[in-house]
Amino acid sequence: MIYTDLHCDTLFELYKKGLTYRNDQLHLRQAFEDVFTHHTQVFAIWTEHKLSPDDAWRQFLAIRKYYENAEIPKEIKSILAVEGGALIDNDLSRLDILHSLGIRILTLVWQDVCSLGGAHNTDIGLTDFGAEAVKRCFTLGIQPDISHASDRMFWQVAELSEYHQKPLLATHSNARTICDHRRNLTDAMFDAILKSDGVTGISMAAVHLKKDADATLLDIVKHIEHYCSLGGENYICLGCDFDGISSSPKEIQNMYDLPLLAEHLARLGYSDCQIEGFFYKNADRFLKKISV
């Protein structure tokens, strides 16, 4: 199998626990070749919510340095991201530094409010500075990610993306119709993403898969099938959020369980081409589109 995933928090976990990728405590770990012949992974560096913006910036720099010695196998194509724009702190020059350090995706918010705007647990949209930051991302070649954004922020970013002829990206966001959580996307949001030729990654966070969080493999499939029913077959990816979630579907405890999802989709009648789309082709097409 080939696997491309749009979001994990593995780098943050490695840094906080003083581990390397070879450690078997993680959702993502060494010996991936036992399951996948090729693996592309977006490694997101989380902006820890309790930190001040300046402390978060210093922690980012430390994690970015730690990445160099994390023993991530060279066979993995690594793409670096930042999750949570609080570390920007009203300083556009920090975006230039992020780009120079290899950051190619920025999840604009994580929770509550930062200098860029409001997250899913607020009704606050982009600040004026946030709008300028999104435009600067477009100029630099950093893809804004609207996972975690408030509804208002989503539509403001969508408007900016349309004006600048850029695609929309939700690295790890499920369907709100299936699980009514504000972290998830409405049908109209997903439609805007596919019309922009963007993509959405399916998250394995149980709380975003099923309302009571007692999620199973079947709940993952429900979100995929719903997005397909909206015409999104070619815009669905995986953004599992491994090493960033406290609870996952009982059958999917780490990346080595993902073939179970492929096998179940095949039993439901999905073709090899469709399954390959979900597992890597749709994401690879998008990443190529944004020159990553």
Side-chain angles (χ1 to χ4, degrees):
M1 294 184 68
I2 300 175
Y3 175 48
T4 297
D5 182 275
L6 294 177
H7 187 88
C8 77
D9 287 276
T10 304
L11 276 181
F12 183 84
E13 287 298 300
L14 294 176
Y15 171 79
K16 293 295 282 188
K17 295 177 180 177
L19 303 174
T20 69
Y21 190 86
R22 298 178 183 277
N23 194 283
D24 64 3
Q25 297 180 29
L26 305 174
H27 288 132
L28 262 66
R29 55 184 187 259
Q30 185 69 357
F32 75 95
E33 63 272 10
D34 293 344
V35 178
F36 302 106
T37 57
H38 184 76
H39 180 189
T40 299
Q41 181 65 56
V42 176
F43 288 98
I45 299 174
W46 180 48
T47 300
E48 195 168 5
H49 192 55
K50 68 181 181 180
L51 299 180
S52 71
D54 282 343
D55 285 344
W57 179 252
R58 284 188 284 270
Q59 185 180 77
F60 159 76
L61 294 173
I63 296 173
R64 176 63 181 82
K65 184 176 181 180
Y66 195 84
Y67 163 71
E68 302 296 339
N69 298 304
E71 297 184 357
I72 296 172
K74 63 181 183 301
E75 293 86 358
I76 295 179
K77 179 181 178 181
S78 301
I79 298 166
L80 295 179
V82 163
E83 182 178 26
L87 81 177
I88 303 302
D89 194 30
N90 288 298
D91 185 352
L92 285 179
S93 70
R94 289 188 175 183
L95 288 172
D96 294 69
I97 297 171
L98 290 180
H99 187 268
S100 73
L101 292 172
I103 301 301
R104 294 297 179 264
I105 295 172
L106 172 64
T107 308
L108 298 170
V109 288
W110 184 74
Q111 187 170 295
D112 299 330
V113 181
C114 71
S115 63
L116 301 185
H120 62 96
N121 62 327
T122 78
D123 294 315
I124 297 171
L126 283 171
T127 61
D128 290 343
F129 173 76
E132 291 305 311
V134 169
K135 295 173 188 176
R136 184 61 184 160
C137 284
F138 292 154
T139 300
L140 289 169
I142 297 175
Q143 173 66 43
D145 169 27
I146 52 72
S147 288
H148 287 273
S150 68
D151 288 5
R152 186 178 176 191
M153 179 184 280
F154 175 95
W155 290 112
Q156 290 172 316
V157 174
E159 184 176 350
L160 287 170
S161 295
E162 183 177 13
Y163 180 82
H164 291 277
Q165 297 183 313
K166 301 292 185 179
L168 287 167
L169 170 66
T171 56
H172 56 306
S173 293
N174 297 337
R176 200 178 298 182
T177 295
I178 302 301
C179 178
D180 188 16
H181 193 294
R182 288 186 65 173
R183 261 287 284 110
N184 290 339
L185 301 173
T186 66
D187 291 356
M189 290 173 178
F190 182 73
D191 185 61
I193 289 171
L194 68 88
K195 286 180 177 176
S196 76
D197 201 28
V199 290
T200 299
I202 298 293
S203 167
M204 299 297 145
V207 69
H208 301 148
L209 286 166
K210 188 177 182 182
K211 195 165 187 179
D212 63 10
D214 186 22
T216 70
L217 181 64
L218 298 179
D219 294 300
I220 304 170
V221 174
K222 287 178 183 178
H223 287 267
I224 292 173
E225 292 197 311
H226 182 71
Y227 281 156
C228 283
S229 75
L230 300 176
E233 175 185 321
N234 296 321
Y235 306 91
I236 301 167
C237 309
L238 296 178
C240 293
D241 205 1
F242 282 146
D243 295 313
I245 53 179
S246 58
S247 179
S248 59
K250 62 181 181 180
E251 302 93 339
I252 308 293
Q253 294 303 303
N254 54 56
M255 65 182 295
Y256 301 103
D257 294 329
L258 287 173
L260 296 175
L261 173 60
E263 291 166 7
H264 188 79
L265 289 168
R267 286 195 296 271
L268 290 175
Y270 285 87
S271 69
D272 288 347
C273 184
Q274 288 172 311
I275 296 169
E276 288 169 355
F278 305 149
F279 269 75
Y280 75 95
K281 285 184 176 178
N282 296 340
D284 286 356
R285 172 184 56 81
F286 178 81
L287 294 172
K288 183 178 180 180
K289 180 182 178 71
I290 63 171
S291 301
V292 173

